[in-house]
Amino acid sequence: MKTTFHIAVLPGDGIGIDVTAEAVRVLRAVEKKLGTFSLTMTTHESGAICYQRSGSDLPAETLDACRQADAVLLGAMGHPDIRKPDGTELTPQVTLRIALDLYAGVRPCKLYAGARTPLVTVKPGEIDFIILREQTEGLFASLQAGIVLGDQVATDTLVMTRRGIERICEFAFRLAADLGPRGANSAAKQRPLVTCVDKANIFKSYAFFRKVFDEVAAKHPTIAKQHAYIDAQALHLVQRPQRFDVIVTENMFGDILSDLGAGLIGGMGMAPSADIGDHHAVFQPAHGTAPDIAGKGIANPIAAILSAGMMLDWLGKRKSNSDLVRGGALIEQAVAAVLADGKTLPVDQGGKATTHEVGIAIARQVQD
Ligand code: ATP
């Protein structure tokens, strides 16, 4: 008998809707190809248009469905013209992170053959690192709690807790152990490398982050560790991206570095991500709703499709189902094959294929 897994699908707004449709198509292709599990995928409302219509960007029934599901697949949310009464943006995806305690933002940055990198010195496969962003505290702890005094002074407070740092650092070392050596640097040492990125030379909070990181590192002697300051790390990622395996950092630094990482591997359309907690996980492309290309049918769906692959891998490991893990690998192989073949390249990678055509090509590749 087939095992059934329940996926809550939240397409959201803008290109989120288009790329999610292609991720669902590819998941259906995997389900058909392997034939040993079935996925119940139910779509739920959320995002800026939902807010405009219902007054909520994450209705209670959607949040409930996310809580009940085995995993959540999300597109992108937000609209530049739809804001809260105080003028701030709608960020239901951040609300979801807090509600489901999704403390680990996992952002793989892998350069595939056929993808457009701005770096002339790196070859496909040489960039293969994961940015791990702490997602429940740091500077984002101040979300909606910043203060503006008399139109003269504004403050936002950065919060670090021992528990928050310990669990993201533990996650980093477990992830590194799971991956084994990947980057050029760690391959030479024959052990995976975790890099702690902070600003410990200036701020007490980041020095605390580093101290706790070192305490956690001491429990994982088979994994190499190093430290870097955020400013230097931005430079290292451009000049020597081959050197990194797992990079762990505070919420805001992780937010910024993940866009830099995406830039190295072909842009936002190539960057998948997962928001993982101890009980729930949400999988979504790292990009937003891309208002500049929304409605044109040219968004690259690869980030969303790779995120769906990460979802199968995570679910498979969690449920001890090797077919799901195999499904995740199948998706990655299909993406790599379509990119390397070069006949159906999305517009942002220098091709002419529409969102839909790229999705179909990857789904076909899965079935072949
Ligand atoms: P948000 O605030 O929701 O993150 P944004 O416009 O600031 O929205 P993105 O939506 O991530 O940020 O878009 C950043 C840039 O990357 C835009 O130029 C956009 O067109 C491009 N982009 C993002 N996603 C894709 C995609 N899937 N395919 C092609 N280009 C993309």
Side-chain angles (χ1 to χ4, degrees), residues 255-332:
D255 189 28
I256 298 167
L257 280 190
S258 5
D259 272 28
L260 195 162
L264 301 178
I265 58 163
M268 300 310 292
M270 293 298 298
S273 87
D275 294 346
I276 298 181
D278 291 332
H279 306 291
H280 303 278
V282 174
F283 298 83
Q284 64 184 111
H287 60 74
T289 53
D292 54 337
I293 56 165
K296 296 185 179 162
I298 55 163
N300 180 354
I302 290 179
I305 292 169
L306 287 171
S307 304
M310 289 173 77
M311 180 181 81
L312 293 188
D313 183 74
W314 176 83
L315 202 50
K317 286 174 180 158
R318 188 173 167 82
K319 305 275 182 187
S320 303
N321 183 315
S322 56
D323 281 337
L324 284 172
V325 175
R326 209 174 128 218
L330 261 181
I331 291 183
E332 204 201 330

